[in-house]
Amino acid sequence: MDLNDTARVRQPRDGIEYRLATISDITYSTPHTTHIRDLRLRFPTGEHRAYTPAEIVVCARADDHAALVAAFTDACRSLRDACRIAHDYDERLSAEIIHLLMDVYGIVATRLDVTLDPDNLDAPATIEQATS
């Protein structure tokens, strides 16, 4: 970990900690060691907070893109399954879920430039899709 690397808190406790932060300061255990005692992160809100190295993970925007693709794939899978269940329960509910599912597909295609395959949501997105 170096100054100006981007990082995320491993287990966020509030909304600020979910954001991608920049390492703004590194405190070492002693002046002549490479053992990091804590790291100070600057969040997009301007707030600074200190963490131990175990509490954060270096993360880039490409990592965020891949995480978003995975999250939206999971969401589409859940909506697809709910739609199948709702079809027998209430056709109007099924139709509304289809509209929601199509909205998610549209968002992923437009904002993340990834086309999800509705027939193959159980397979993870390819790395080319996740990083394009």
Side-chain angles (χ1 to χ4, degrees):
M1 293 182 213
D2 293 313
L3 286 176
N4 298 318
D5 281 352
T6 50
R8 285 199 181 280
V9 177
R10 287 185 191 271
Q11 295 181 343
R13 296 175 299 239
D14 61 31
I16 291 172
E17 290 183 343
Y18 278 94
R19 306 284 304 272
L20 188 65
T22 304
I23 298 174
S24 60
D25 190 27
I26 300 174
T27 305
Y28 296 94
S29 298
T30 64
H32 305 291
T33 185
T34 58
H35 182 266
I36 297 172
R37 183 177 35 178
D38 63 55
L39 299 132
R40 192 162 174 81
L41 299 183
R42 183 182 66 249
F43 292 92
T45 60
E47 187 170 338
H48 287 80
R49 296 184 184 180
Y51 300 92
T52 64
E55 292 177 303
I56 68 167
V57 62
V58 174
C59 181
R61 293 248 178 247
D63 299 323
D64 281 352
H65 187 274
L68 284 168
V69 170
F72 279 120
T73 300
D74 287 345
C76 287
R77 185 181 305 117
S78 296
L79 287 170
R80 178 200 62 195
D81 295 346
C83 185
R84 289 175 178 165
I85 294 167
H87 183 73
D88 293 332
Y89 179 77
D90 179 349
E91 280 193 46
R92 288 186 306 176
L93 176 60
S94 178
E96 290 173 5
I97 293 171
I98 288 172
H99 289 292
L100 182 57
L101 184 58
M102 295 310 296
D103 286 344
V104 173
Y105 276 116
I107 290 168
V108 172
T110 304
R111 304 296 299 188
L112 297 177
D113 200 27
V114 173
T115 303
L116 296 176
D117 180 1
D119 294 328
N120 197 19
L121 287 175
D122 296 321
T126 64
I127 193 68
E128 291 82 19
Q129 289 176 320
T131 58
S132 65

